[in-house]
Amino acid sequence: MNAVLIAVIVMLALALLRVHVVVALFIGAIVGGLLSGMGLDATMLAFQDGLGGGAKIALSYALLGAFAMGVASAGLPQILASFLIAKLGGTGELDPKAAATTKWMLVIGLIAMAVMSQNLIPVHIAFIPLLVPPLLAVMNKLKLDRRLITTCLTFGLITTYMFIPVGFGSIYLNDILLFNIEEAGLDTSNINIMQVMAIPALGMLTGLLIAIFISYRAPRKYEDRPIAAKEHQETPSMYKIWVSILAIIATFAVQIIMQTLDFESDGLLVGALTGLGILLISGAVDWKHADDVFTNGMKMMALIGFIMITAQGFASVMTATEEVGPLVDATANLFGTNKFLSAGAMLLVGLVVTMGIGSSFSTLPIISVIYVPLCASLGFSPAATVALIGTAGALGDAGSPASDSTLGPTAGLGADGQHDHIRDSVIPTFIHFNIPLLIAGWAGALIL
C-alpha cells in the first residue's frame, strides 16, 4: 500500500475514466498524502507549495500560444497550408502520388522539427502550437490519423534527449544522469553514454515504426473546423510575412542566446514576449483585433498550463510523502538477488514515478541515489547501471497525462477540438513507447 504507487494509480484511473486531468492529479495527490499519514492539512500545504513551480512554465506557454495565434493571424501559416493543399490538387480529388508525398513530408518534417527542438534549435515544444494548428486542414484532407502525428512528435522529443548528449540531451545525460550516478558513488568516466543508451533508443524507434506502418496507417476522418485565429485572419501581405518570419527568428534566437549565456530567467517567456512585441509594434497584427487574437492563443494553451501547474503540486506531495525510497526498497526485497526480475522491477518503479511527476528530468535525482547501491549489490556493471537508470527515468515521460511530451502535441493537434488528450495522446504514446522502451532497457541492463 505504498502511497506514491496508489496515488499514481488513482490519478491514471480517473484520467482514463474521463475525469479531467487537473482533477485527477488533485485527487491523486490528496489520496497519496493521506495514505502516507501526512494528514489533509500537510498534504494541501505541500500541494500548494508545489503550484508555484509550474506557474512560470504555464505563463510562458500562454504567451507562446498568443504569439502563435498572432503569427497565424498575420497569414504566414495560411500560406504554408495553402501551398500544401495546392500540391494535393486543391479542393478537388486527391492526387494519390501527391498525397503520399505530402504525408511523408509531414511525418518526416515533424519528426525532424521535434529532434532539432532538443538540440539544434533548443525550444522544446515551443514550435508545436506555432506549426501544427495551421497544418490541420492539410492533415484532414489527407485523412491522416492525428495519433500518428502525436507519436512522431513524442518520439522526437524524448528519444533525442535520452540518446544525443547535446542541448537538452546534455542536461539529461551529463548534468543529471551521470552527475547523480557519480554523486551516488559510481565511477562513469569510461562510459560512452551514446553507446549505453543506444539499446533503449532502439526500443523507442521500434515503437515509432509500429505506429507508422501498423497502428495508424489507416485513414481517419476529421471535420474541417476553424481554429481560433481564423476569426481575425488578416489578408496576407509580403510585409506581414517578413515581419512574422523576423518575429519567429527573434523568439527562437532569444531562447538560444539566454540558454547559451546561462541566464537564470526563463528564455521561453522572454522569447515569447519579444515575438509579441515585434508583431504589435510592426502592425503585423491589427491593433483593433490584437486583444482577441492573443486571448484566443492563450486559451489554446490554457489546458497545458493548468495541467503543468497541478502536476507540480502532485509532484510536491509525492516528494513530501518520502515513500519513493521505500517503494524501491520493497521492490528490491521482493526479488532478492535475481538480476532479471530486479531489473524489470526497477524499471517499473521508474515508470510509476515519472508518470506521476510528469518529468524524467525530475525523476532521475530521486531514483539515482537509491538505484546505484542497489545495482552494485546485484552485480550490474557500470554501463548496465547507467542504462537501467537512464531508461527508468525516461520511462513514463511518454504516456504521462502531466508530461509536456504529451501535452505539447495535444495543444497543437487539439486546436480545433478534435484531439482528446488521454485517448489520442496519452494512450497511444504509452503503448508505443513505454512498452518497447521497458523491454529494450531491460535487455540493455542484462546485456551491458
Side-chain angles (χ1 to χ4, degrees), residues 220-241:
R220 194 182 192 195
K221 190 173 181 179
Y222 295 90
E223 297 177 11
D224 285 322
R225 299 180 184 174
I227 59 175
K230 290 288 183 70
E231 184 181 347
H232 296 294
Q233 184 75 56
E234 304 287 340
T235 302
S237 67
M238 288 306 300
Y239 171 73
K240 292 178 181 178
I241 297 306

PDB file of all heavy atoms in Angstrom, residues 220-241:
ATOM      1  N   ARG A 220      -8.192   8.231 -41.205  1.00  0.00           N
ATOM      2  CA  ARG A 220      -9.124   8.591 -40.139  1.00  0.00           C
ATOM      3  C   ARG A 220      -9.752   9.939 -40.503  1.00  0.00           C
ATOM      4  O   ARG A 220      -9.028  10.898 -40.780  1.00  0.00           O
ATOM      5  CB  ARG A 220      -8.409   8.680 -38.790  1.00  0.00           C
ATOM      6  CG  ARG A 220      -9.365   8.717 -37.594  1.00  0.00           C
ATOM      7  CD  ARG A 220      -8.589   8.849 -36.292  1.00  0.00           C
ATOM      8  NE  ARG A 220      -9.433   8.596 -35.146  1.00  0.00           N
ATOM      9  CZ  ARG A 220      -9.101   8.919 -33.896  1.00  0.00           C
ATOM     10  NH1 ARG A 220      -7.951   9.501 -33.639  1.00  0.00           N
ATOM     11  NH2 ARG A 220      -9.919   8.652 -32.894  1.00  0.00           N
ATOM     12  N   LYS A 221     -11.070   9.995 -40.505  1.00  0.00           N
ATOM     13  CA  LYS A 221     -11.760  11.191 -40.984  1.00  0.00           C
ATOM     14  C   LYS A 221     -11.955  12.203 -39.865  1.00  0.00           C
ATOM     15  O   LYS A 221     -12.328  11.854 -38.747  1.00  0.00           O
ATOM     16  CB  LYS A 221     -13.119  10.810 -41.589  1.00  0.00           C
ATOM     17  CG  LYS A 221     -13.802  11.948 -42.325  1.00  0.00           C
ATOM     18  CD  LYS A 221     -15.061  11.465 -43.037  1.00  0.00           C
ATOM     19  CE  LYS A 221     -15.719  12.614 -43.803  1.00  0.00           C
ATOM     20  NZ  LYS A 221     -16.937  12.166 -44.521  1.00  0.00           N
ATOM     21  N   TYR A 222     -11.683  13.477 -40.184  1.00  0.00           N
ATOM     22  CA  TYR A 222     -11.908  14.594 -39.268  1.00  0.00           C
ATOM     23  C   TYR A 222     -12.743  15.655 -39.985  1.00  0.00           C
ATOM     24  O   TYR A 222     -12.708  15.772 -41.205  1.00  0.00           O
ATOM     25  CB  TYR A 222     -10.578  15.224 -38.827  1.00  0.00           C
ATOM     26  CG  TYR A 222      -9.696  14.312 -38.014  1.00  0.00           C
ATOM     27  CD1 TYR A 222      -8.762  13.485 -38.631  1.00  0.00           C
ATOM     28  CD2 TYR A 222      -9.776  14.285 -36.628  1.00  0.00           C
ATOM     29  CE1 TYR A 222      -7.937  12.650 -37.893  1.00  0.00           C
ATOM     30  CE2 TYR A 222      -8.955  13.461 -35.877  1.00  0.00           C
ATOM     31  CZ  TYR A 222      -8.041  12.639 -36.513  1.00  0.00           C
ATOM     32  OH  TYR A 222      -7.232  11.821 -35.771  1.00  0.00           O
ATOM     33  N   GLU A 223     -13.463  16.433 -39.208  1.00  0.00           N
ATOM     34  CA  GLU A 223     -14.225  17.543 -39.774  1.00  0.00           C
ATOM     35  C   GLU A 223     -13.304  18.742 -39.999  1.00  0.00           C
ATOM     36  O   GLU A 223     -12.320  18.923 -39.285  1.00  0.00           O
ATOM     37  CB  GLU A 223     -15.346  17.952 -38.816  1.00  0.00           C
ATOM     38  CG  GLU A 223     -16.379  16.874 -38.561  1.00  0.00           C
ATOM     39  CD  GLU A 223     -17.415  17.320 -37.537  1.00  0.00           C
ATOM     40  OE1 GLU A 223     -17.429  18.527 -37.196  1.00  0.00           O
ATOM     41  OE2 GLU A 223     -18.191  16.476 -37.077  1.00  0.00           O
ATOM     42  N   ASP A 224     -13.646  19.545 -40.998  1.00  0.00           N
ATOM     43  CA  ASP A 224     -12.898  20.778 -41.236  1.00  0.00           C
ATOM     44  C   ASP A 224     -13.477  21.883 -40.360  1.00  0.00           C
ATOM     45  O   ASP A 224     -14.456  22.543 -40.719  1.00  0.00           O
ATOM     46  CB  ASP A 224     -12.976  21.180 -42.714  1.00  0.00           C
ATOM     47  CG  ASP A 224     -12.091  20.311 -43.588  1.00  0.00           C
ATOM     48  OD1 ASP A 224     -10.982  19.961 -43.141  1.00  0.00           O
ATOM     49  OD2 ASP A 224     -12.514  19.967 -44.699  1.00  0.00           O
ATOM     50  N   ARG A 225     -12.874  22.049 -39.177  1.00  0.00           N
ATOM     51  CA  ARG A 225     -13.316  23.084 -38.243  1.00  0.00           C
ATOM     52  C   ARG A 225     -12.290  24.207 -38.185  1.00  0.00           C
ATOM     53  O   ARG A 225     -11.090  23.956 -38.273  1.00  0.00           O
ATOM     54  CB  ARG A 225     -13.486  22.499 -36.834  1.00  0.00           C
ATOM     55  CG  ARG A 225     -14.515  21.391 -36.718  1.00  0.00           C
ATOM     56  CD  ARG A 225     -14.582  20.903 -35.282  1.00  0.00           C
ATOM     57  NE  ARG A 225     -15.477  19.770 -35.119  1.00  0.00           N
ATOM     58  CZ  ARG A 225     -15.615  19.104 -33.982  1.00  0.00           C
ATOM     59  NH1 ARG A 225     -14.930  19.485 -32.907  1.00  0.00           N
ATOM     60  NH2 ARG A 225     -16.441  18.067 -33.904  1.00  0.00           N
ATOM     61  N   PRO A 226     -12.750  25.438 -38.024  1.00  0.00           N
ATOM     62  CA  PRO A 226     -11.787  26.555 -37.943  1.00  0.00           C
ATOM     63  C   PRO A 226     -11.075  26.550 -36.601  1.00  0.00           C
ATOM     64  O   PRO A 226     -11.639  26.145 -35.580  1.00  0.00           O
ATOM     65  CB  PRO A 226     -12.671  27.795 -38.095  1.00  0.00           C
ATOM     66  CG  PRO A 226     -14.012  27.360 -37.576  1.00  0.00           C
ATOM     67  CD  PRO A 226     -14.143  25.901 -37.959  1.00  0.00           C
ATOM     68  N   ILE A 227      -9.820  26.993 -36.601  1.00  0.00           N
ATOM     69  CA  ILE A 227      -9.119  27.230 -35.344  1.00  0.00           C
ATOM     70  C   ILE A 227      -9.395  28.664 -34.922  1.00  0.00           C
ATOM     71  O   ILE A 227      -9.902  29.474 -35.697  1.00  0.00           O
ATOM     72  CB  ILE A 227      -7.602  26.964 -35.460  1.00  0.00           C
ATOM     73  CG1 ILE A 227      -6.978  27.866 -36.530  1.00  0.00           C
ATOM     74  CG2 ILE A 227      -7.342  25.512 -35.785  1.00  0.00           C
ATOM     75  CD1 ILE A 227      -5.473  27.738 -36.619  1.00  0.00           C
ATOM     76  N   ALA A 228      -9.054  28.985 -33.690  1.00  0.00           N
ATOM     77  CA  ALA A 228      -9.461  30.278 -33.123  1.00  0.00           C
ATOM     78  C   ALA A 228      -8.962  31.465 -33.932  1.00  0.00           C
ATOM     79  O   ALA A 228      -9.632  32.487 -34.049  1.00  0.00           O
ATOM     80  CB  ALA A 228      -8.958  30.385 -31.687  1.00  0.00           C
ATOM     81  N   ALA A 229      -7.766  31.357 -34.528  1.00  0.00           N
ATOM     82  CA  ALA A 229      -7.180  32.514 -35.220  1.00  0.00           C
ATOM     83  C   ALA A 229      -7.971  32.896 -36.460  1.00  0.00           C
ATOM     84  O   ALA A 229      -7.872  34.028 -36.935  1.00  0.00           O
ATOM     85  CB  ALA A 229      -5.732  32.212 -35.603  1.00  0.00           C
ATOM     86  N   LYS A 230      -8.755  31.960 -37.020  1.00  0.00           N
ATOM     87  CA  LYS A 230      -9.452  32.253 -38.263  1.00  0.00           C
ATOM     88  C   LYS A 230     -10.472  33.387 -38.111  1.00  0.00           C
ATOM     89  O   LYS A 230     -10.858  34.022 -39.071  1.00  0.00           O
ATOM     90  CB  LYS A 230     -10.175  30.990 -38.753  1.00  0.00           C
ATOM     91  CG  LYS A 230      -9.237  29.905 -39.241  1.00  0.00           C
ATOM     92  CD  LYS A 230      -8.606  30.287 -40.563  1.00  0.00           C
ATOM     93  CE  LYS A 230      -7.707  29.183 -41.101  1.00  0.00           C
ATOM     94  NZ  LYS A 230      -8.481  28.031 -41.548  1.00  0.00           N
ATOM     95  N   GLU A 231     -10.909  33.634 -36.861  1.00  0.00           N
ATOM     96  CA  GLU A 231     -11.911  34.679 -36.642  1.00  0.00           C
ATOM     97  C   GLU A 231     -11.392  36.048 -37.057  1.00  0.00           C
ATOM     98  O   GLU A 231     -12.126  36.898 -37.527  1.00  0.00           O
ATOM     99  CB  GLU A 231     -12.307  34.685 -35.158  1.00  0.00           C
ATOM    100  CG  GLU A 231     -13.410  35.673 -34.836  1.00  0.00           C
ATOM    101  CD  GLU A 231     -13.755  35.655 -33.361  1.00  0.00           C
ATOM    102  OE1 GLU A 231     -13.318  34.716 -32.661  1.00  0.00           O
ATOM    103  OE2 GLU A 231     -14.478  36.569 -32.923  1.00  0.00           O
ATOM    104  N   HIS A 232     -10.089  36.275 -36.869  1.00  0.00           N
ATOM    105  CA  HIS A 232      -9.497  37.558 -37.232  1.00  0.00           C
ATOM    106  C   HIS A 232      -8.308  37.332 -38.162  1.00  0.00           C
ATOM    107  O   HIS A 232      -7.218  37.844 -37.928  1.00  0.00           O
ATOM    108  CB  HIS A 232      -9.058  38.319 -35.968  1.00  0.00           C
ATOM    109  CG  HIS A 232     -10.189  38.696 -35.070  1.00  0.00           C
ATOM    110  ND1 HIS A 232     -11.175  39.597 -35.433  1.00  0.00           N
ATOM    111  CD2 HIS A 232     -10.518  38.272 -33.819  1.00  0.00           C
ATOM    112  CE1 HIS A 232     -12.038  39.733 -34.443  1.00  0.00           C
ATOM    113  NE2 HIS A 232     -11.670  38.934 -33.456  1.00  0.00           N
ATOM    114  N   GLN A 233      -8.506  36.537 -39.195  1.00  0.00           N
ATOM    115  CA  GLN A 233      -7.446  36.250 -40.157  1.00  0.00           C
ATOM    116  C   GLN A 233      -7.196  37.489 -41.023  1.00  0.00           C
ATOM    117  O   GLN A 233      -8.107  37.998 -41.677  1.00  0.00           O
ATOM    118  CB  GLN A 233      -7.846  35.074 -41.058  1.00  0.00           C
ATOM    119  CG  GLN A 233      -6.754  34.649 -42.020  1.00  0.00           C
ATOM    120  CD  GLN A 233      -5.671  33.880 -41.306  1.00  0.00           C
ATOM    121  OE1 GLN A 233      -5.930  32.885 -40.659  1.00  0.00           O
ATOM    122  NE2 GLN A 233      -4.458  34.365 -41.413  1.00  0.00           N
ATOM    123  N   GLU A 234      -5.968  37.981 -40.990  1.00  0.00           N
ATOM    124  CA  GLU A 234      -5.601  39.134 -41.797  1.00  0.00           C
ATOM    125  C   GLU A 234      -5.336  38.699 -43.236  1.00  0.00           C
ATOM    126  O   GLU A 234      -5.019  37.543 -43.502  1.00  0.00           O
ATOM    127  CB  GLU A 234      -4.334  39.799 -41.223  1.00  0.00           C
ATOM    128  CG  GLU A 234      -4.444  40.202 -39.757  1.00  0.00           C
ATOM    129  CD  GLU A 234      -5.325  41.411 -39.553  1.00  0.00           C
ATOM    130  OE1 GLU A 234      -5.537  42.144 -40.543  1.00  0.00           O
ATOM    131  OE2 GLU A 234      -5.799  41.617 -38.434  1.00  0.00           O
ATOM    132  N   THR A 235      -5.472  39.649 -44.161  1.00  0.00           N
ATOM    133  CA  THR A 235      -5.104  39.367 -45.547  1.00  0.00           C
ATOM    134  C   THR A 235      -3.587  39.322 -45.649  1.00  0.00           C
ATOM    135  O   THR A 235      -2.919  40.303 -45.302  1.00  0.00           O
ATOM    136  CB  THR A 235      -5.649  40.462 -46.479  1.00  0.00           C
ATOM    137  OG1 THR A 235      -7.059  40.539 -46.332  1.00  0.00           O
ATOM    138  CG2 THR A 235      -5.295  40.145 -47.925  1.00  0.00           C
ATOM    139  N   PRO A 236      -3.005  38.185 -46.060  1.00  0.00           N
ATOM    140  CA  PRO A 236      -1.542  38.081 -46.097  1.00  0.00           C
ATOM    141  C   PRO A 236      -0.929  39.117 -47.033  1.00  0.00           C
ATOM    142  O   PRO A 236      -1.464  39.426 -48.089  1.00  0.00           O
ATOM    143  CB  PRO A 236      -1.308  36.658 -46.616  1.00  0.00           C
ATOM    144  CG  PRO A 236      -2.570  35.923 -46.335  1.00  0.00           C
ATOM    145  CD  PRO A 236      -3.655  36.937 -46.479  1.00  0.00           C
ATOM    146  N   SER A 237       0.184  39.677 -46.620  1.00  0.00           N
ATOM    147  CA  SER A 237       0.962  40.574 -47.462  1.00  0.00           C
ATOM    148  C   SER A 237       2.432  40.255 -47.253  1.00  0.00           C
ATOM    149  O   SER A 237       2.805  39.663 -46.237  1.00  0.00           O
ATOM    150  CB  SER A 237       0.681  42.038 -47.107  1.00  0.00           C
ATOM    151  OG  SER A 237       1.173  42.332 -45.805  1.00  0.00           O
ATOM    152  N   MET A 238       3.269  40.628 -48.220  1.00  0.00           N
ATOM    153  CA  MET A 238       4.696  40.329 -48.089  1.00  0.00           C
ATOM    154  C   MET A 238       5.286  41.003 -46.856  1.00  0.00           C
ATOM    155  O   MET A 238       6.159  40.438 -46.188  1.00  0.00           O
ATOM    156  CB  MET A 238       5.440  40.787 -49.342  1.00  0.00           C
ATOM    157  CG  MET A 238       5.170  39.923 -50.576  1.00  0.00           C
ATOM    158  SD  MET A 238       5.488  38.147 -50.260  1.00  0.00           S
ATOM    159  CE  MET A 238       7.223  38.176 -49.825  1.00  0.00           C
ATOM    160  N   TYR A 239       4.788  42.202 -46.512  1.00  0.00           N
ATOM    161  CA  TYR A 239       5.287  42.888 -45.320  1.00  0.00           C
ATOM    162  C   TYR A 239       5.004  42.068 -44.060  1.00  0.00           C
ATOM    163  O   TYR A 239       5.893  41.835 -43.226  1.00  0.00           O
ATOM    164  CB  TYR A 239       4.639  44.265 -45.220  1.00  0.00           C
ATOM    165  CG  TYR A 239       4.915  44.972 -43.906  1.00  0.00           C
ATOM    166  CD1 TYR A 239       6.173  45.508 -43.627  1.00  0.00           C
ATOM    167  CD2 TYR A 239       3.917  45.081 -42.934  1.00  0.00           C
ATOM    168  CE1 TYR A 239       6.427  46.139 -42.428  1.00  0.00           C
ATOM    169  CE2 TYR A 239       4.160  45.723 -41.724  1.00  0.00           C
ATOM    170  CZ  TYR A 239       5.421  46.241 -41.479  1.00  0.00           C
ATOM    171  OH  TYR A 239       5.674  46.859 -40.273  1.00  0.00           O
ATOM    172  N   LYS A 240       3.738  41.627 -43.921  1.00  0.00           N
ATOM    173  CA  LYS A 240       3.365  40.852 -42.737  1.00  0.00           C
ATOM    174  C   LYS A 240       4.103  39.523 -42.677  1.00  0.00           C
ATOM    175  O   LYS A 240       4.472  39.049 -41.592  1.00  0.00           O
ATOM    176  CB  LYS A 240       1.851  40.622 -42.726  1.00  0.00           C
ATOM    177  CG  LYS A 240       1.037  41.889 -42.509  1.00  0.00           C
ATOM    178  CD  LYS A 240      -0.454  41.597 -42.561  1.00  0.00           C
ATOM    179  CE  LYS A 240      -1.260  42.879 -42.361  1.00  0.00           C
ATOM    180  NZ  LYS A 240      -2.718  42.628 -42.449  1.00  0.00           N
ATOM    181  N   ILE A 241       4.321  38.917 -43.845  1.00  0.00           N
ATOM    182  CA  ILE A 241       5.032  37.638 -43.889  1.00  0.00           C
ATOM    183  C   ILE A 241       6.458  37.804 -43.395  1.00  0.00           C
ATOM    184  O   ILE A 241       6.938  37.033 -42.553  1.00  0.00           O
ATOM    185  CB  ILE A 241       5.030  37.063 -45.320  1.00  0.00           C
ATOM    186  CG1 ILE A 241       3.602  36.755 -45.778  1.00  0.00           C
ATOM    187  CG2 ILE A 241       5.891  35.802 -45.392  1.00  0.00           C
ATOM    188  CD1 ILE A 241       2.820  35.874 -44.856  1.00  0.00           C
TER     189      ILE A 241
END
